[in-house]
């Protein structure tokens, strides 16, 4: 069913972690949600949970760095759910290494998912948003944008997301489209669990060490980021444009 009164959101990298939390929250806010990730089957539990709660959701398999796949996915979402007016560019990977050990493949992989992916998804969705005269683009940056040892690729990509966001805000504002970025600090997901494993720490020790450095005394959760995305996606947030909000339990990390 295509209910034209219901806003349609796309959340990338939504099969798990922060993306799954954002998709679930936007559905609770009343939106129809495309749960997009590399593997469509992995998206289904998130989409099914939304449907079970009475919402509308579509599981979509797509590599956000592949132009043809992005075009096909966004067209399918527009056909099956309705024209997308909210886009959350959340898909992400890490390929951490010190600069002298970092391979070109590790540099390119991170740039491709974060920057090329956000570029392709935003480009594919903006025509639906300009036609609707309303749009909300929310990009996931990171406190790593301020610099982080072992993350030259990721830090550059996440700083790039901030420049990308501010430029979209300037170009698209006149069409009723806002673009804002969320820069999370330490959020408890499989991504940070993988980092713990990489540095040889148990998850509990890693998590406790992170919490000890965070002013509010705990690690963040996907729900913390979802609440911020929910605010940016609201119609009443239409005068908030080109901003970066650090959601890190303190002023930065
Ligand atoms: P996560 O648990 O690793 O989830 C990321 C999701 O993105 C995975 O489901 C992954 O799929 C998907 N993905 C990767 N490459 C993709 C591609 N080319 N196309 C479509 N989907 C793709 O990560 P997270 O912790 O939730 O992080 C979500 C976002 O927040 C990322 O942009 C991350 O950089 C950012 N962030 C996270 C933290 C943190 O502390 N967790 C802090 C700051 C910023 P696969 O599982 O198949 O690889």
């Amino acid at each position: 069913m295509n209910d034209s009164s219901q806003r349609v959101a796309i959340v990338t990298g939504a099969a798990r972690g922060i993306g799954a939390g954002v998709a679930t929250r936007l559905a609770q806010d009343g939106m129809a949600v495309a749960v997009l990730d590399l593997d469509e089957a992995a998206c289904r539990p998130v989409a099914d949970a939304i449907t079970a709660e009475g919402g509308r959701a579509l599981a979509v398999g797509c590599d956000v760095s592949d132009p043809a796949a992005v075009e096909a996915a966004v067209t399918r979402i527009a056909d099956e759910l309705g024209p997308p007016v909210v886009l959350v560019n959340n898909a992400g990977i890490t390929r951490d290494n010190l600069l002298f050990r970092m391979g070109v493949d590790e540099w390119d992989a991170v740039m491709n998912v974060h920057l090329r992916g956000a570029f392709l998804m935003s480009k594919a969705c903006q025509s639906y948003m300009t036609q609707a005269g309303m749009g909300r683009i929310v990009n996931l940056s990171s406190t790593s944008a301020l610099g982080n040892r072992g993350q030259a690729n990721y830090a550059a990509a996440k700083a790039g997301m901030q420049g990308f966001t501010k430029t979209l805000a300037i170009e698209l504002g006149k069409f009723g489209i806002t673009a804002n970025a969320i820069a999370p600090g330490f959020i408890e997901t499989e991504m940070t669990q993988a980092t713990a494993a990489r540095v040889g720490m148990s998850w509990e020790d890693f998590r406790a060490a992170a919490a000890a450095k965070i002013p509010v005394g705990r690690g963040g959760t996907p729900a913390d980021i979802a609440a911020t995305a929910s605010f940016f996606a609201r119609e009443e947030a239409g005068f908030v444009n080109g901003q970066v909000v650090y959601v890190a339990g303190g002023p930065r990390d």
Side-chain angles (χ1 to χ4, degrees), residues 13 15-18 37-38 62-64 90-93 113-114 140-142 154 158 184-187 189-192:
R16 65 178 199 218
I18 292 170
D37 208 299
L38 278 174
C62 172
D63 177 349
V64 296
N90 168 81
I93 59 169
V113 178
H114 296 270
L140 267 291
S141 178
S142 168
Y154 185 80
K158 290 309 199 183
F186 176 80
I187 309 296
T189 69
E190 287 179 44
M191 184 177 273
T192 39

PDB file of all heavy atoms in Angstrom, residues 13 15-18 37-38 62-64 90-93 113-114 140-142 154 158 184-187 189-192, ligand 1:
ATOM      1  N   GLY A  13      22.737   1.035   6.007  1.00  0.00           N
ATOM      2  CA  GLY A  13      23.464   0.295   7.053  1.00  0.00           C
ATOM      3  C   GLY A  13      22.549  -0.028   8.219  1.00  0.00           C
ATOM      4  O   GLY A  13      22.961  -0.011   9.376  1.00  0.00           O
ATOM      5  N   ALA A  15      20.786  -2.846   8.981  1.00  0.00           N
ATOM      6  CA  ALA A  15      20.543  -4.218   9.426  1.00  0.00           C
ATOM      7  C   ALA A  15      20.918  -4.423  10.888  1.00  0.00           C
ATOM      8  O   ALA A  15      20.481  -5.381  11.527  1.00  0.00           O
ATOM      9  CB  ALA A  15      21.336  -5.199   8.552  1.00  0.00           C
ATOM     10  N   ARG A  16      21.723  -3.513  11.411  1.00  0.00           N
ATOM     11  CA  ARG A  16      22.160  -3.690  12.802  1.00  0.00           C
ATOM     12  C   ARG A  16      22.647  -2.348  13.360  1.00  0.00           C
ATOM     13  O   ARG A  16      22.685  -1.340  12.657  1.00  0.00           O
ATOM     14  CB  ARG A  16      23.260  -4.735  12.890  1.00  0.00           C
ATOM     15  CG  ARG A  16      24.518  -4.297  12.182  1.00  0.00           C
ATOM     16  CD  ARG A  16      25.615  -5.339  12.318  1.00  0.00           C
ATOM     17  NE  ARG A  16      26.897  -4.742  12.054  1.00  0.00           N
ATOM     18  CZ  ARG A  16      27.887  -5.339  11.411  1.00  0.00           C
ATOM     19  NH1 ARG A  16      27.720  -6.562  10.959  1.00  0.00           N
ATOM     20  NH2 ARG A  16      29.034  -4.722  11.226  1.00  0.00           N
ATOM     21  N   GLY A  17      23.050  -2.354  14.624  1.00  0.00           N
ATOM     22  CA  GLY A  17      23.709  -1.217  15.246  1.00  0.00           C
ATOM     23  C   GLY A  17      22.889   0.062  15.208  1.00  0.00           C
ATOM     24  O   GLY A  17      21.665   0.058  15.399  1.00  0.00           O
ATOM     25  N   ILE A  18      23.596   1.167  14.954  1.00  0.00           N
ATOM     26  CA  ILE A  18      22.960   2.486  14.971  1.00  0.00           C
ATOM     27  C   ILE A  18      21.860   2.575  13.917  1.00  0.00           C
ATOM     28  O   ILE A  18      20.773   3.092  14.180  1.00  0.00           O
ATOM     29  CB  ILE A  18      24.029   3.586  14.743  1.00  0.00           C
ATOM     30  CG1 ILE A  18      24.973   3.657  15.960  1.00  0.00           C
ATOM     31  CG2 ILE A  18      23.375   4.939  14.482  1.00  0.00           C
ATOM     32  CD1 ILE A  18      26.208   4.521  15.751  1.00  0.00           C
ATOM     33  N   ASP A  37      20.662  -2.295   3.548  1.00  0.00           N
ATOM     34  CA  ASP A  37      22.000  -2.752   3.951  1.00  0.00           C
ATOM     35  C   ASP A  37      22.542  -3.632   2.831  1.00  0.00           C
ATOM     36  O   ASP A  37      21.820  -3.951   1.879  1.00  0.00           O
ATOM     37  CB  ASP A  37      21.935  -3.511   5.291  1.00  0.00           C
ATOM     38  CG  ASP A  37      23.239  -3.401   6.088  1.00  0.00           C
ATOM     39  OD1 ASP A  37      24.283  -3.854   5.589  1.00  0.00           O
ATOM     40  OD2 ASP A  37      23.220  -2.867   7.202  1.00  0.00           O
ATOM     41  N   LEU A  38      23.776  -4.079   2.958  1.00  0.00           N
ATOM     42  CA  LEU A  38      24.395  -4.903   1.917  1.00  0.00           C
ATOM     43  C   LEU A  38      23.580  -6.156   1.618  1.00  0.00           C
ATOM     44  O   LEU A  38      23.380  -6.519   0.471  1.00  0.00           O
ATOM     45  CB  LEU A  38      25.800  -5.321   2.368  1.00  0.00           C
ATOM     46  CG  LEU A  38      26.946  -4.324   2.162  1.00  0.00           C
ATOM     47  CD1 LEU A  38      28.217  -4.866   2.803  1.00  0.00           C
ATOM     48  CD2 LEU A  38      27.160  -4.035   0.682  1.00  0.00           C
ATOM     49  N   CYS A  62      21.503  -3.487  -0.842  1.00  0.00           N
ATOM     50  CA  CYS A  62      22.154  -2.523  -1.738  1.00  0.00           C
ATOM     51  C   CYS A  62      23.534  -2.175  -1.196  1.00  0.00           C
ATOM     52  O   CYS A  62      23.689  -1.908  -0.010  1.00  0.00           O
ATOM     53  CB  CYS A  62      21.296  -1.256  -1.828  1.00  0.00           C
ATOM     54  SG  CYS A  62      22.056   0.129  -2.700  1.00  0.00           S
ATOM     55  N   ASP A  63      24.526  -2.145  -2.092  1.00  0.00           N
ATOM     56  CA  ASP A  63      25.847  -1.619  -1.745  1.00  0.00           C
ATOM     57  C   ASP A  63      25.808  -0.121  -2.077  1.00  0.00           C
ATOM     58  O   ASP A  63      25.710   0.259  -3.250  1.00  0.00           O
ATOM     59  CB  ASP A  63      26.911  -2.346  -2.574  1.00  0.00           C
ATOM     60  CG  ASP A  63      28.320  -1.805  -2.337  1.00  0.00           C
ATOM     61  OD1 ASP A  63      28.467  -0.739  -1.694  1.00  0.00           O
ATOM     62  OD2 ASP A  63      29.269  -2.455  -2.814  1.00  0.00           O
ATOM     63  N   VAL A  64      25.896   0.721  -1.053  1.00  0.00           N
ATOM     64  CA  VAL A  64      25.728   2.162  -1.278  1.00  0.00           C
ATOM     65  C   VAL A  64      26.852   2.776  -2.120  1.00  0.00           C
ATOM     66  O   VAL A  64      26.716   3.909  -2.592  1.00  0.00           O
ATOM     67  CB  VAL A  64      25.597   2.954   0.052  1.00  0.00           C
ATOM     68  CG1 VAL A  64      24.340   2.558   0.797  1.00  0.00           C
ATOM     69  CG2 VAL A  64      26.839   2.803   0.932  1.00  0.00           C
ATOM     70  N   ASN A  90      24.006   6.268   6.987  1.00  0.00           N
ATOM     71  CA  ASN A  90      24.591   5.667   8.185  1.00  0.00           C
ATOM     72  C   ASN A  90      25.572   4.533   7.869  1.00  0.00           C
ATOM     73  O   ASN A  90      26.413   4.204   8.703  1.00  0.00           O
ATOM     74  CB  ASN A  90      23.445   5.147   9.066  1.00  0.00           C
ATOM     75  CG  ASN A  90      23.925   4.253  10.181  1.00  0.00           C
ATOM     76  OD1 ASN A  90      24.377   4.706  11.223  1.00  0.00           O
ATOM     77  ND2 ASN A  90      23.848   2.931   9.953  1.00  0.00           N
ATOM     78  N   ALA A  91      25.475   3.923   6.670  1.00  0.00           N
ATOM     79  CA  ALA A  91      26.331   2.766   6.351  1.00  0.00           C
ATOM     80  C   ALA A  91      27.790   3.131   6.565  1.00  0.00           C
ATOM     81  O   ALA A  91      28.237   4.212   6.167  1.00  0.00           O
ATOM     82  CB  ALA A  91      26.113   2.335   4.899  1.00  0.00           C
ATOM     83  N   GLY A  92      28.507   2.240   7.199  1.00  0.00           N
ATOM     84  CA  GLY A  92      29.914   2.557   7.459  1.00  0.00           C
ATOM     85  C   GLY A  92      30.739   1.328   7.754  1.00  0.00           C
ATOM     86  O   GLY A  92      30.218   0.280   8.142  1.00  0.00           O
ATOM     87  N   ILE A  93      32.031   1.481   7.533  1.00  0.00           N
ATOM     88  CA  ILE A  93      32.990   0.419   7.855  1.00  0.00           C
ATOM     89  C   ILE A  93      34.241   1.071   8.451  1.00  0.00           C
ATOM     90  O   ILE A  93      34.463   2.270   8.281  1.00  0.00           O
ATOM     91  CB  ILE A  93      33.415  -0.406   6.615  1.00  0.00           C
ATOM     92  CG1 ILE A  93      34.071   0.489   5.545  1.00  0.00           C
ATOM     93  CG2 ILE A  93      32.227  -1.150   6.028  1.00  0.00           C
ATOM     94  CD1 ILE A  93      34.747  -0.281   4.418  1.00  0.00           C
ATOM     95  N   VAL A 113      32.587   3.609   1.016  1.00  0.00           N
ATOM     96  CA  VAL A 113      31.318   3.387   1.733  1.00  0.00           C
ATOM     97  C   VAL A 113      30.799   4.705   2.309  1.00  0.00           C
ATOM     98  O   VAL A 113      29.643   5.068   2.099  1.00  0.00           O
ATOM     99  CB  VAL A 113      31.481   2.333   2.849  1.00  0.00           C
ATOM    100  CG1 VAL A 113      30.168   2.177   3.605  1.00  0.00           C
ATOM    101  CG2 VAL A 113      31.923   0.997   2.261  1.00  0.00           C
ATOM    102  N   HIS A 114      31.646   5.448   3.003  1.00  0.00           N
ATOM    103  CA  HIS A 114      31.165   6.649   3.696  1.00  0.00           C
ATOM    104  C   HIS A 114      30.875   7.790   2.705  1.00  0.00           C
ATOM    105  O   HIS A 114      29.748   8.312   2.671  1.00  0.00           O
ATOM    106  CB  HIS A 114      32.187   7.111   4.740  1.00  0.00           C
ATOM    107  CG  HIS A 114      32.384   6.122   5.844  1.00  0.00           C
ATOM    108  ND1 HIS A 114      31.645   6.136   6.997  1.00  0.00           N
ATOM    109  CD2 HIS A 114      33.227   5.071   5.960  1.00  0.00           C
ATOM    110  CE1 HIS A 114      32.034   5.138   7.777  1.00  0.00           C
ATOM    111  NE2 HIS A 114      32.984   4.474   7.168  1.00  0.00           N
ATOM    112  N   LEU A 140      25.952  10.484   9.067  1.00  0.00           N
ATOM    113  CA  LEU A 140      26.698  10.050  10.252  1.00  0.00           C
ATOM    114  C   LEU A 140      28.163  10.413  10.098  1.00  0.00           C
ATOM    115  O   LEU A 140      28.862   9.861   9.239  1.00  0.00           O
ATOM    116  CB  LEU A 140      26.525   8.532  10.447  1.00  0.00           C
ATOM    117  CG  LEU A 140      25.376   8.093  11.363  1.00  0.00           C
ATOM    118  CD1 LEU A 140      25.657   8.466  12.821  1.00  0.00           C
ATOM    119  CD2 LEU A 140      24.044   8.684  10.941  1.00  0.00           C
ATOM    120  N   SER A 141      28.604  11.351  10.925  1.00  0.00           N
ATOM    121  CA  SER A 141      30.018  11.664  11.051  1.00  0.00           C
ATOM    122  C   SER A 141      30.532  10.904  12.265  1.00  0.00           C
ATOM    123  O   SER A 141      30.031   9.816  12.591  1.00  0.00           O
ATOM    124  CB  SER A 141      30.198  13.184  11.181  1.00  0.00           C
ATOM    125  OG  SER A 141      31.557  13.521  11.350  1.00  0.00           O
ATOM    126  N   SER A 142      31.496  11.454  12.991  1.00  0.00           N
ATOM    127  CA  SER A 142      32.064  10.777  14.165  1.00  0.00           C
ATOM    128  C   SER A 142      32.973  11.753  14.895  1.00  0.00           C
ATOM    129  O   SER A 142      33.511  12.684  14.284  1.00  0.00           O
ATOM    130  CB  SER A 142      32.886   9.567  13.709  1.00  0.00           C
ATOM    131  OG  SER A 142      33.673   9.063  14.768  1.00  0.00           O
ATOM    132  N   TYR A 154      39.361   6.715   8.118  1.00  0.00           N
ATOM    133  CA  TYR A 154      38.032   6.923   8.720  1.00  0.00           C
ATOM    134  C   TYR A 154      37.855   8.383   9.182  1.00  0.00           C
ATOM    135  O   TYR A 154      36.812   8.994   8.968  1.00  0.00           O
ATOM    136  CB  TYR A 154      37.890   5.954   9.891  1.00  0.00           C
ATOM    137  CG  TYR A 154      36.551   5.915  10.584  1.00  0.00           C
ATOM    138  CD1 TYR A 154      35.483   5.204  10.038  1.00  0.00           C
ATOM    139  CD2 TYR A 154      36.359   6.559  11.800  1.00  0.00           C
ATOM    140  CE1 TYR A 154      34.268   5.146  10.698  1.00  0.00           C
ATOM    141  CE2 TYR A 154      35.150   6.496  12.465  1.00  0.00           C
ATOM    142  CZ  TYR A 154      34.101   5.788  11.914  1.00  0.00           C
ATOM    143  OH  TYR A 154      32.890   5.721  12.568  1.00  0.00           O
ATOM    144  N   LYS A 158      35.085  10.908   7.842  1.00  0.00           N
ATOM    145  CA  LYS A 158      34.083  11.489   8.737  1.00  0.00           C
ATOM    146  C   LYS A 158      34.175  13.011   8.785  1.00  0.00           C
ATOM    147  O   LYS A 158      33.165  13.691   8.991  1.00  0.00           O
ATOM    148  CB  LYS A 158      34.221  10.878  10.139  1.00  0.00           C
ATOM    149  CG  LYS A 158      33.792   9.410  10.205  1.00  0.00           C
ATOM    150  CD  LYS A 158      32.425   9.190   9.599  1.00  0.00           C
ATOM    151  CE  LYS A 158      31.765   7.892  10.018  1.00  0.00           C
ATOM    152  NZ  LYS A 158      30.462   7.667   9.352  1.00  0.00           N
ATOM    153  N   PRO A 184      28.716  10.815  16.438  1.00  0.00           N
ATOM    154  CA  PRO A 184      28.681  10.036  17.677  1.00  0.00           C
ATOM    155  C   PRO A 184      30.075   9.867  18.269  1.00  0.00           C
ATOM    156  O   PRO A 184      31.076   9.829  17.554  1.00  0.00           O
ATOM    157  CB  PRO A 184      28.129   8.668  17.240  1.00  0.00           C
ATOM    158  CG  PRO A 184      27.591   8.858  15.856  1.00  0.00           C
ATOM    159  CD  PRO A 184      28.388   9.979  15.269  1.00  0.00           C
ATOM    160  N   GLY A 185      30.100   9.733  19.588  1.00  0.00           N
ATOM    161  CA  GLY A 185      31.319   9.292  20.263  1.00  0.00           C
ATOM    162  C   GLY A 185      31.297   7.776  20.338  1.00  0.00           C
ATOM    163  O   GLY A 185      30.949   7.105  19.360  1.00  0.00           O
ATOM    164  N   PHE A 186      31.605   7.225  21.505  1.00  0.00           N
ATOM    165  CA  PHE A 186      31.655   5.766  21.668  1.00  0.00           C
ATOM    166  C   PHE A 186      30.232   5.211  21.810  1.00  0.00           C
ATOM    167  O   PHE A 186      29.544   5.493  22.794  1.00  0.00           O
ATOM    168  CB  PHE A 186      32.479   5.416  22.912  1.00  0.00           C
ATOM    169  CG  PHE A 186      32.511   3.954  23.231  1.00  0.00           C
ATOM    170  CD1 PHE A 186      33.368   3.108  22.555  1.00  0.00           C
ATOM    171  CD2 PHE A 186      31.669   3.422  24.199  1.00  0.00           C
ATOM    172  CE1 PHE A 186      33.396   1.751  22.850  1.00  0.00           C
ATOM    173  CE2 PHE A 186      31.688   2.063  24.494  1.00  0.00           C
ATOM    174  CZ  PHE A 186      32.555   1.235  23.821  1.00  0.00           C
ATOM    175  N   ILE A 187      29.809   4.438  20.814  1.00  0.00           N
ATOM    176  CA  ILE A 187      28.473   3.832  20.825  1.00  0.00           C
ATOM    177  C   ILE A 187      28.649   2.316  20.829  1.00  0.00           C
ATOM    178  O   ILE A 187      29.461   1.770  20.064  1.00  0.00           O
ATOM    179  CB  ILE A 187      27.644   4.253  19.578  1.00  0.00           C
ATOM    180  CG1 ILE A 187      27.642   5.785  19.405  1.00  0.00           C
ATOM    181  CG2 ILE A 187      26.219   3.701  19.674  1.00  0.00           C
ATOM    182  CD1 ILE A 187      26.984   6.577  20.496  1.00  0.00           C
ATOM    183  N   THR A 189      28.141  -0.954  19.728  1.00  0.00           N
ATOM    184  CA  THR A 189      27.626  -1.716  18.579  1.00  0.00           C
ATOM    185  C   THR A 189      28.687  -2.746  18.177  1.00  0.00           C
ATOM    186  O   THR A 189      29.784  -2.781  18.750  1.00  0.00           O
ATOM    187  CB  THR A 189      27.365  -0.811  17.353  1.00  0.00           C
ATOM    188  OG1 THR A 189      28.636  -0.368  16.847  1.00  0.00           O
ATOM    189  CG2 THR A 189      26.499   0.389  17.685  1.00  0.00           C
ATOM    190  N   GLU A 190      28.369  -3.510  17.131  1.00  0.00           N
ATOM    191  CA  GLU A 190      29.347  -4.489  16.638  1.00  0.00           C
ATOM    192  C   GLU A 190      30.617  -3.814  16.130  1.00  0.00           C
ATOM    193  O   GLU A 190      31.697  -4.409  16.140  1.00  0.00           O
ATOM    194  CB  GLU A 190      28.722  -5.347  15.536  1.00  0.00           C
ATOM    195  CG  GLU A 190      27.718  -6.347  16.096  1.00  0.00           C
ATOM    196  CD  GLU A 190      27.077  -7.199  15.018  1.00  0.00           C
ATOM    197  OE1 GLU A 190      27.793  -7.678  14.118  1.00  0.00           O
ATOM    198  OE2 GLU A 190      25.849  -7.391  15.085  1.00  0.00           O
ATOM    199  N   MET A 191      30.474  -2.543  15.671  1.00  0.00           N
ATOM    200  CA  MET A 191      31.662  -1.830  15.181  1.00  0.00           C
ATOM    201  C   MET A 191      32.669  -1.612  16.321  1.00  0.00           C
ATOM    202  O   MET A 191      33.867  -1.837  16.163  1.00  0.00           O
ATOM    203  CB  MET A 191      31.261  -0.488  14.558  1.00  0.00           C
ATOM    204  CG  MET A 191      32.419   0.259  13.938  1.00  0.00           C
ATOM    205  SD  MET A 191      31.944   1.812  13.132  1.00  0.00           S
ATOM    206  CE  MET A 191      31.505   1.248  11.502  1.00  0.00           C
ATOM    207  N   THR A 192      32.174  -1.191  17.493  1.00  0.00           N
ATOM    208  CA  THR A 192      33.093  -0.958  18.615  1.00  0.00           C
ATOM    209  C   THR A 192      33.520  -2.285  19.250  1.00  0.00           C
ATOM    210  O   THR A 192      34.625  -2.397  19.777  1.00  0.00           O
ATOM    211  CB  THR A 192      32.455  -0.003  19.653  1.00  0.00           C
ATOM    212  OG1 THR A 192      31.066  -0.294  19.792  1.00  0.00           O
ATOM    213  CG2 THR A 192      32.625   1.446  19.247  1.00  0.00           C
TER     214      THR A 192
HETATM  215  P1  LIG B   1      27.952  -1.434  12.366  1.00  0.00           P
HETATM  216  O1  LIG B   1      27.335  -2.095  13.548  1.00  0.00           O
HETATM  217  O2  LIG B   1      29.234  -1.984  11.821  1.00  0.00           O
HETATM  218  O3  LIG B   1      26.852  -1.350  11.208  1.00  0.00           O
HETATM  219  C1  LIG B   1      27.170  -0.765   9.971  1.00  0.00           C
HETATM  220  C2  LIG B   1      26.271  -1.370   8.919  1.00  0.00           C
HETATM  221  O4  LIG B   1      26.614  -0.773   7.637  1.00  0.00           O
HETATM  222  C3  LIG B   1      26.458  -2.888   8.782  1.00  0.00           C
HETATM  223  O5  LIG B   1      25.211  -3.538   8.796  1.00  0.00           O
HETATM  224  C4  LIG B   1      27.163  -3.008   7.444  1.00  0.00           C
HETATM  225  O6  LIG B   1      26.868  -4.199   6.736  1.00  0.00           O
HETATM  226  C5  LIG B   1      26.599  -1.823   6.675  1.00  0.00           C
HETATM  227  N1  LIG B   1      27.398  -1.533   5.502  1.00  0.00           N
HETATM  228  C6  LIG B   1      28.753  -1.580   5.367  1.00  0.00           C
HETATM  229  N2  LIG B   1      29.112  -1.313   4.112  1.00  0.00           N
HETATM  230  C7  LIG B   1      27.972  -1.080   3.421  1.00  0.00           C
HETATM  231  C8  LIG B   1      27.691  -0.761   2.065  1.00  0.00           C
HETATM  232  N3  LIG B   1      28.680  -0.609   1.159  1.00  0.00           N
HETATM  233  N4  LIG B   1      26.401  -0.605   1.695  1.00  0.00           N
HETATM  234  C9  LIG B   1      25.397  -0.761   2.587  1.00  0.00           C
HETATM  235  N5  LIG B   1      25.597  -1.062   3.869  1.00  0.00           N
HETATM  236  C10 LIG B   1      26.874  -1.225   4.295  1.00  0.00           C
HETATM  237  O7  LIG B   1      28.260   0.111  12.654  1.00  0.00           O
HETATM  238  P2  LIG B   1      27.603   1.138  13.709  1.00  0.00           P
HETATM  239  O8  LIG B   1      28.451   1.154  14.898  1.00  0.00           O
HETATM  240  O9  LIG B   1      26.138   0.909  13.831  1.00  0.00           O
HETATM  241  O10 LIG B   1      27.882   2.515  12.929  1.00  0.00           O
HETATM  242  C11 LIG B   1      26.909   3.131  12.082  1.00  0.00           C
HETATM  243  C12 LIG B   1      27.466   4.461  11.593  1.00  0.00           C
HETATM  244  O11 LIG B   1      27.813   5.288  12.707  1.00  0.00           O
HETATM  245  C13 LIG B   1      28.729   4.327  10.743  1.00  0.00           C
HETATM  246  O12 LIG B   1      28.733   5.305   9.732  1.00  0.00           O
HETATM  247  C14 LIG B   1      29.825   4.610  11.740  1.00  0.00           C
HETATM  248  O13 LIG B   1      30.993   5.053  11.110  1.00  0.00           O
HETATM  249  C15 LIG B   1      29.169   5.683  12.606  1.00  0.00           C
HETATM  250  N6  LIG B   1      29.748   5.797  13.941  1.00  0.00           N
HETATM  251  C16 LIG B   1      29.736   4.754  14.829  1.00  0.00           C
HETATM  252  C17 LIG B   1      30.297   4.923  16.092  1.00  0.00           C
HETATM  253  C18 LIG B   1      30.321   3.823  17.125  1.00  0.00           C
HETATM  254  O14 LIG B   1      30.906   4.033  18.201  1.00  0.00           O
HETATM  255  N7  LIG B   1      29.709   2.680  16.897  1.00  0.00           N
HETATM  256  C19 LIG B   1      30.872   6.144  16.442  1.00  0.00           C
HETATM  257  C20 LIG B   1      30.869   7.169  15.518  1.00  0.00           C
HETATM  258  C21 LIG B   1      30.305   6.993  14.280  1.00  0.00           C
HETATM  259  P3  LIG B   1      27.766  -5.517   6.935  1.00  0.00           P
HETATM  260  O15 LIG B   1      27.471  -5.987   8.311  1.00  0.00           O
HETATM  261  O16 LIG B   1      27.265  -6.467   5.894  1.00  0.00           O
HETATM  262  O17 LIG B   1      29.186  -5.100   6.751  1.00  0.00           O
END
